[in-house]
Amino acid sequence: MGAIPTRRSATAPSSASRSRRTTSARCRQLRHLAPERYQLSQHRTAYTANGAHTAYLRMNSPKDLDARHLSELQALTTDTPEVKREPRVGASGSASVMIALRSHDVVLLSLRKAA
């Protein structure tokens, strides 16, 4: 069907703001859907989530990566969904999804008809 990007901010977090992040739940309404079962995948990119860059910084940003560091960073970029659900849409053609967001998170929801 498509992807629904959800973004809270376009600026990079400062080190001070990283330590005091709060999480808030956001509700996304999915509308105009055919009544049936769907597969919903949620991917997140944020500080410490899907964070190869965060891990690289924690390694003190080495100029040359050894095999162990490279392996660690590649393991963080597998693009596996953080959440997988199978919502059922009824006759109304709508469903709602709750998403936990911290400041500066980017979340991608992908919705497909279930097989």
Side-chain angles (χ1 to χ4, degrees):
M1 295 220 72
I4 305 160
T6 302
R7 190 172 192 178
R8 291 222 22 211
S9 178
T11 59
S14 68
S15 59
S17 69
R18 280 187 224 128
S19 62
R20 62 175 185 262
R21 288 174 175 229
T22 58
T23 302
S24 63
R26 302 284 187 207
C27 183
R28 290 289 170 232
Q29 290 294 103
L30 309 176
R31 298 184 182 140
H32 310 291
L33 300 170
E36 56 186 282
R37 211 174 74 234
Y38 290 86
Q39 292 177 339
L40 178 73
S41 300
Q42 177 179 317
H43 292 77
R44 180 182 307 271
T45 299
Y47 180 72
T48 70
N50 193 13
H53 184 70
T54 303
Y56 175 75
L57 293 175
R58 287 186 178 151
M59 295 173 183
N60 295 319
S61 306
K63 289 184 181 185
D64 297 312
L65 295 171
D66 60 28
R68 182 179 59 87
H69 285 138
L70 187 59
S71 176
E72 286 176 27
L73 294 175
Q74 287 173 334
L76 294 170
T77 59
T78 59
D79 196 33
T80 20
E82 171 181 73
V83 174
K84 287 173 116 179
R85 302 179 197 156
E86 283 206 9
R88 183 176 297 278
V89 174
S92 69
S94 65
S96 61
V97 178
M98 293 299 290
I99 305 167
L101 288 176
R102 298 175 303 174
S103 61
H104 308 289
D105 281 6
V106 177
V107 175
L108 174 71
L109 298 177
S110 298
L111 187 67
R112 292 181 175 82
K113 291 182 180 179

